[in-house]
Amino acid sequence: MTTDSADAPHSARVRPPAAPGPASGPAPGPATAAVHPPRGPARETLPPPRPGRGVRPRAVAPLLAADFLATVGTALAVLGTGTAPTALGPLVLGVLLLHSRAGLYRPHPAPSLLGELPALLGRGAVCWCAAAAVLAAVRPGQALPPTVLAGAVALHTALVCGARALVHRARRAAARRRPRATLIVGPDPAARQLAAVLHARPGYGMRPVGLVTTGAPSGPELPPGPAAGPPRLSSPHDITRAVIRHTVRDAVFTVPPYGDPYTAALLRRFIDQGSAIWLAGAAAALEGRPPPSASGHLWGFAWRRLETAPPRHGGADKRALDLVLAAVALVVTAPLLLGGALAVRLADGPGVLCRQERIGRGGRSFLLLTLRTRRPYDGDAATAPGSGADLRTSRVGRLLRRTGVAGLPRLWNVLRGELSLVGPCPERPGTVERLSRSCPEYGDRHRMTPGLTGLAQVHGLHGGSPVEDRARFDNLYIDSWSWGQDVRIMLRAAARLLRREGR
């Protein structure tokens, strides 16, 4: 079959702008300019996501080893080599699990041993009481007296605290030698004050490499120089360049990250790249309440880590579902597809397939396949572009569109991985460029492969709907993806198609 582009727009196609490299892009703007987060489809300029969502295994392993060794040492000292193996397994497992549930393995730039002491003492006592009960049930003659049990709890707490103190000291020394690159997001002067604190106290292990200012600037403007702190990132290109150049691992928000669409879009991008997200100052409050004391502080700034679930975005599970269902659908609908292609060829001449450029995942363009539903332009003024779609759409084309047969070639795009069965609607390059400028959350749709249908489409949101509504529905679908949701959306899309055909 030959190809034809009669369905494609006749205006000049606009390709997405090339993503800037680390050494390119516009010069930083004025220091007082408010900044919007990176948007648009150019996401391939960032480093690939790192596993662990900002929690590095090498940061957790020393604390696990400290708790393990302290527990084993206490068991050997109190129970002896003959009795220790009986209670050692449940004891160690219980200690590690309870410490994990208490958040004692979560990273913190300023860990406090005194702040951890109540949790260590209480959970150590629970574990030792449980171990003593197990030992009394298994070996009644070797049950621990109350005084020995109290001594075991005290010794265990002392050893755990001592081991953790060594780990914290070693971690602070390593943080001073190799602080992690950090971006600070928020309005002046809070962001600038926090950057000054982190710069003056390298023991926190964070090195500010840029300020992403939001809102209206306030406070006196500092002259260029060391006193002004890290550079202000006044454009999306500047933020991208800073992430690449410095390998940013941490992002600190001094404003609630969900307060407006701009900070929410920036937060989503940092999460997708595996950065650890921290909240400082007023942003550390929990639903309007003051932050808990357990969250600690950073030189007077309220401080806590934002717990973010790793984004699933489908991945291999979604791809497997697409391959299976698309292959089955392509085999089942092959007679309809061949019949539609034959009807187009006989009624409207050569050029059965139409290839239209669309923007897919990560801003990459691909060619969307459909059966041609419009007559090729033959020089007649009545069929010229701009003379009206009804004059150029053939009877066969209208039938193919109404029944959905015209879109069956898109199943081949699904098999190629350019499309998914469910996902955001694929748009033309010019449309993507225009909507990315008008809606800050629109570019986040390109985190996932576009689909034949989606959450926005089944709610009646199409090209003429407000872009903010479509972007909100698409991003909600991406953030909450599951197999069950895909199946429900496909069933709703099928029901809408059947209702439309029954009219």
Side-chain angles (χ1 to χ4, degrees):
M1 290 183 287
T2 58
T3 60
D4 193 275
S5 58
D7 284 1
H10 287 268
S11 59
R13 290 179 178 175
V14 181
R15 295 182 180 272
S24 64
T32 58
V35 173
H36 301 318
R39 53 185 184 240
R43 292 185 165 275
E44 297 303 308
T45 56
L46 287 176
R50 296 184 299 273
R53 319 312 309 161
V55 181
R56 289 160 290 281
R58 62 182 180 182
V60 178
L63 292 177
L64 287 172
D67 294 343
F68 175 80
L69 295 176
T71 305
V72 172
T74 304
L76 293 177
V78 174
L79 303 177
T81 56
T83 308
T86 304
L88 188 57
L91 182 62
V92 172
L93 183 61
V95 168
L96 298 182
L97 288 178
L98 289 181
H99 285 189
S100 177
R101 293 286 297 175
L104 295 174
Y105 299 124
R106 296 173 185 169
H108 196 284
S112 171
L113 190 60
L114 290 178
E116 297 174 348
L117 180 59
L120 295 174
L121 178 60
R123 282 154 181 79
V126 169
C127 290
W128 272 100
C129 289
V134 171
L135 188 62
V138 175
R139 298 183 179 181
Q142 299 179 355
L144 297 179
T147 55
V148 176
L149 182 59
V153 172
L155 178 61
H156 180 259
T157 304
L159 290 179
V160 169
C161 289
R164 281 179 163 261
L166 295 177
V167 172
H168 293 333
R169 178 176 297 180
R171 183 173 295 175
R172 283 192 293 269
R176 292 189 185 94
R177 293 193 303 268
R178 299 180 61 183
R180 301 186 303 275
T182 304
L183 289 181
I184 300 178
V185 182
D188 275 342
R192 189 169 56 195
Q193 292 171 353
L194 180 60
V197 167
L198 295 177
H199 178 76
R201 291 164 178 81
Y204 290 136
M206 292 186 177
R207 175 172 56 91
V209 297
L211 298 179
V212 184
T213 55
T214 60
S218 60
E221 181 66 28
L222 295 181
R232 304 201 184 181
L233 309 179
S234 54
S235 73
H237 298 307
D238 292 339
I239 298 175
T240 299
R241 291 166 61 189
V243 171
I244 296 174
R245 179 181 179 184
H246 301 286
T247 313
V248 173
R249 298 182 178 180
D250 299 86
V252 182
F253 285 75
T254 62
V255 291
Y258 298 106
D260 60 80
Y262 299 107
T263 54
L266 189 59
L267 171 67
R268 185 180 293 116
R269 190 171 192 186
F270 284 134
I271 292 176
D272 286 341
Q273 292 305 314
S275 299
I277 308 299
W278 305 91
L279 304 180
L286 292 172
E287 298 178 355
R289 302 189 304 272
S293 59
S295 62
H297 68 90
L298 203 70
W299 201 250
F301 284 92
W303 188 268
R304 69 182 177 92
R305 185 173 183 268
L306 180 63
E307 298 298 332
T308 56
R312 293 173 290 178
H313 299 179
D317 295 342
K318 183 176 179 64
R319 180 62 180 151
L321 183 65
D322 288 341
L323 286 174
V324 173
L325 295 184
V328 173
L330 197 58
V331 172
V332 172
T333 60
L336 290 176
L337 179 58
L338 294 177
L342 182 60
V344 172
R345 179 65 176 83
L346 296 177
D348 299 326
V352 172
L353 286 179
C354 174
R355 290 188 172 101
Q356 301 176 6
E357 187 178 8
R358 293 292 189 267
I359 297 300
R361 183 173 184 175
R364 294 183 293 270
S365 62
F366 68 97
L367 295 178
L368 183 69
L369 301 177
T370 58
L371 290 179
R372 181 167 55 84
T373 59
R374 295 183 181 181
R375 299 185 183 94
Y377 173 53
D378 55 6
D380 186 357
T383 61
S387 60
D390 291 337
L391 296 178
R392 298 190 60 227
T393 303
S394 64
R395 293 181 179 178
V396 172
R398 285 193 291 270
L399 177 62
L400 295 178
R401 284 187 177 183
R402 187 168 61 249
T403 58
V405 176
L408 290 180
R410 298 179 184 181
L411 293 172
W412 181 250
N413 290 115
V414 176
L415 293 179
R416 288 171 55 88
E418 299 163 337
L419 271 182
S420 176
L421 294 177
V422 182
C425 180
E427 302 283 1
R428 293 185 174 95
T431 303
V432 170
E433 187 178 9
R434 174 173 54 85
L435 296 181
S436 297
R437 290 194 297 265
S438 62
C439 179
E441 293 184 303
Y442 184 82
D444 293 323
R445 300 166 67 255
H446 298 93
R447 295 175 292 158
M448 179 177 278
T449 305
L452 300 179
T453 186
L455 186 63
Q457 292 93 309
V458 298
H459 281 84
L461 300 176
H462 298 284
S465 305
V467 60
E468 293 82 4
D469 292 344
R470 286 187 285 151
R472 184 167 60 252
F473 270 85
D474 288 335
N475 286 318
L476 174 63
Y477 164 73
I478 295 173
D479 292 333
S480 59
W481 177 86
S482 67
W483 274 15
Q485 184 176 209
D486 273 7
V487 173
R488 290 192 297 270
I489 290 175
M490 286 187 282
L491 292 176
R492 292 184 63 175
R496 289 173 63 90
L497 181 62
L498 292 176
R499 287 198 301 268
R500 186 177 64 183
E501 292 180 353
R503 292 175 182 174

